[in-house]
Amino acid sequence: MLRYLNLCSRGRGAWLLLALTALALELVALFFQHGMGLKPCVMCIYERCALFGVMAAGVVGAIAPQTPLRWASLAIWIYSAAEGLRLSWEHTMLQLHPNPFVTCDFAARFPAWLPLDKWLPAVFVASGDCAERGWTLLGWSMPQWMIAIFAAYLLVAIVVLVAQIFRPRQRNLFGR
């Protein structure tokens, strides 16, 4: 399996699949926001940014998968998935254990050199309440589903990293 993952990480297809899954999730989020009228909160916006990081990792990996750029892609992927997992966990805790003294910010805080909320307000402006559970599927709220999604992204990224480090030797039937 490690050999297979190592081989897949050296081709564009796997990296494009990673980018496409993240793009699909972003499009679903935008449908929830603009199609269904669910207002994203600040934590939702930050989780969205982490998902864009996973998408960026897929794009960077697809650019030159057989070069050391693959390592940068893995780093971006692991960081984005871990940060998304942390954010969605924190968001879930805000929903499951609401506290009037612990709330999320009113607006997302982006760095001055990357004002995403000014560049793409339809995607990055928050207007919802972090403690509100506006949508559920099978009893799980959106941040709970994002925990599962980011955990899956992180698990796959770690296994792919292990496949890069510990490349199994190819066994030959005749001992060569």
Side-chain angles (χ1 to χ4, degrees):
M1 180 172 124
L2 291 178
R3 184 180 308 130
Y4 176 74
L5 288 174
N6 188 304
L7 183 65
C8 285
S9 72
R10 294 175 187 273
R12 285 190 171 84
W15 291 106
L16 289 174
L17 180 63
L18 176 67
L20 287 175
T21 61
L23 176 64
L25 289 169
E26 290 290 354
L27 292 174
V28 167
L30 289 173
F31 172 73
F32 282 147
Q33 179 181 354
H34 297 291
M36 295 176 59
L38 298 175
K39 296 178 182 175
C41 67
V42 171
M43 295 300 288
C44 294
I45 298 298
Y46 291 153
E47 291 162 27
R48 215 176 257 189
C49 290
L51 205 50
F52 272 115
V54 172
M55 188 187 327
V59 170
V60 169
I63 290 172
Q66 296 197 12
T67 67
L69 194 57
R70 182 176 72 250
W71 292 97
S73 301
L74 276 167
I76 295 167
W77 184 6
I78 290 171
Y79 175 76
S80 297
E83 193 63 18
L85 182 61
R86 183 191 67 77
L87 288 165
S88 52
W89 177 264
E90 188 177 318
H91 191 181
T92 299
M93 291 302 109
L94 283 172
Q95 285 187 345
L96 294 179
H97 310 291
N99 184 343
F101 302 108
V102 180
T103 61
C104 60
D105 296 333
F106 292 113
R109 289 180 277 140
F110 293 109
W113 56 271
L114 190 68
L116 294 175
D117 54 339
K118 306 280 188 288
W119 292 346
L120 288 170
V123 177
F124 293 108
V125 170
S127 57
D129 179 17
C130 291
E132 181 183 329
R133 294 178 62 154
W135 176 88
T136 60
L137 177 67
L138 301 175
W140 282 13
S141 66
M142 207 171 300
Q144 289 172 311
W145 281 106
M146 292 310 296
I147 287 174
I149 290 166
F150 281 121
Y153 274 137
L154 185 59
L155 179 66
V156 172
I158 290 170
V159 172
V160 170
L161 177 66
V162 168
Q164 303 303 304
I165 296 171
F166 300 107
R167 284 185 288 184
R169 290 184 296 137
Q170 185 169 350
R171 295 182 185 178
N172 192 339
L173 182 63
F174 301 108
R176 287 186 176 183

